[in-house]
């Protein structure tokens, strides 16, 4: 994207993965459409998957979702998910290797590691943590 980064777009009323996905997609589409461009459909799917995993993990394992923000950048879209837990997931520093096929859970972090870049986890001053990731975006091929 040729444009400078946009301002952070906090999602005041997001309380679910579906709401976070809709917010992130709307922010990206509004920015790209203002430039007369269309984001690549596969990258939008990747964005939805990453947002879903991070928000679901905040709700299930992070003592609840404390906030959700997005911002478009030249490389893609930066996503911040705030939760109420100080615990950093063990798998967060992993290689992205999927768990054994007989496991029902544990696929979320490897998916995030594979689809996102610049993953950063920081504790928040008032308690909890913020997980920040960059989801790369490309322009859709010309039809």
């Amino acid at each position: 994207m040729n444009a400078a980064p946009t301002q952070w777009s906090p999602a005041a009323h997001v309380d679910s993965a579906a709401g976070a996905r809709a917010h992130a997609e709307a922010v990206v589409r509004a920015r790209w459409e203002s430039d007369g461009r269309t984001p690549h459909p596969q990258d939008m799917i990747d964005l939805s998957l990453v947002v879903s995993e991070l928000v679901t993990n905040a709700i299930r394992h992070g003592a609840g979702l404390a906030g959700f923000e997005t911002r478009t950048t030249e490389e893609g879209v930066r996503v911040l998910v705030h939760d109420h837990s100080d615990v950093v997931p063990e798998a967060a520093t992993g290689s992205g290797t999927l768990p054994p096929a007989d496991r029902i859970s544990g696929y979320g972090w490897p998916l995030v590691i594979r689809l996102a870049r610049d993953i950063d986890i920081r504790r928040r001053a008032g308690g909890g943590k913020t997980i920040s990731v960059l989801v790369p975006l490309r322009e859709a091929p010309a039809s």
Side-chain angles (χ1 to χ4, degrees):
M1 208 162 25
N2 296 331
T6 58
Q7 296 293 324
W8 283 107
S9 179
H13 302 292
V14 166
D15 59 1
S16 68
R21 282 191 311 269
H23 177 79
E25 290 172 12
V27 166
V28 169
R29 290 193 192 286
R31 178 63 185 161
W32 280 59
E33 287 172 4
S34 73
D35 289 343
R37 301 175 339 133
T38 304
H40 196 286
Q42 183 59 53
D43 295 346
M44 294 301 286
I45 292 169
D46 292 352
L47 174 61
S48 291
L49 290 169
V50 169
V51 166
S52 290
E53 288 301 328
L54 292 177
V55 170
T56 299
N57 283 349
I59 293 167
R60 285 188 182 166
H61 308 293
L65 184 64
F68 179 78
E69 300 175 69
T70 57
R71 178 181 69 165
T72 57
T73 70
E74 293 213 14
E75 298 85 20
V77 61
R78 173 72 55 186
V79 175
L80 273 66
V81 177
H82 312 284
D83 68 29
H84 297 286
S85 172
D86 293 330
V87 177
V88 174
E90 219 175 273
T93 57
S95 65
T97 304
L98 294 174
D102 60 344
R103 286 206 33 209
I104 295 172
S105 64
Y107 290 88
W109 268 109
L111 182 70
V112 170
I113 290 169
R114 288 175 175 205
L115 299 178
R117 306 286 175 267
D118 302 330
I119 298 169
D120 184 57
I121 303 172
R122 295 184 189 227
R123 289 196 168 94
R124 297 181 322 148
K129 66 183 166 299
T130 296
I131 299 175
S132 171
V133 302
L134 174 71
V135 179
L137 295 177
R138 300 166 290 165
E139 190 166 352
S143 15

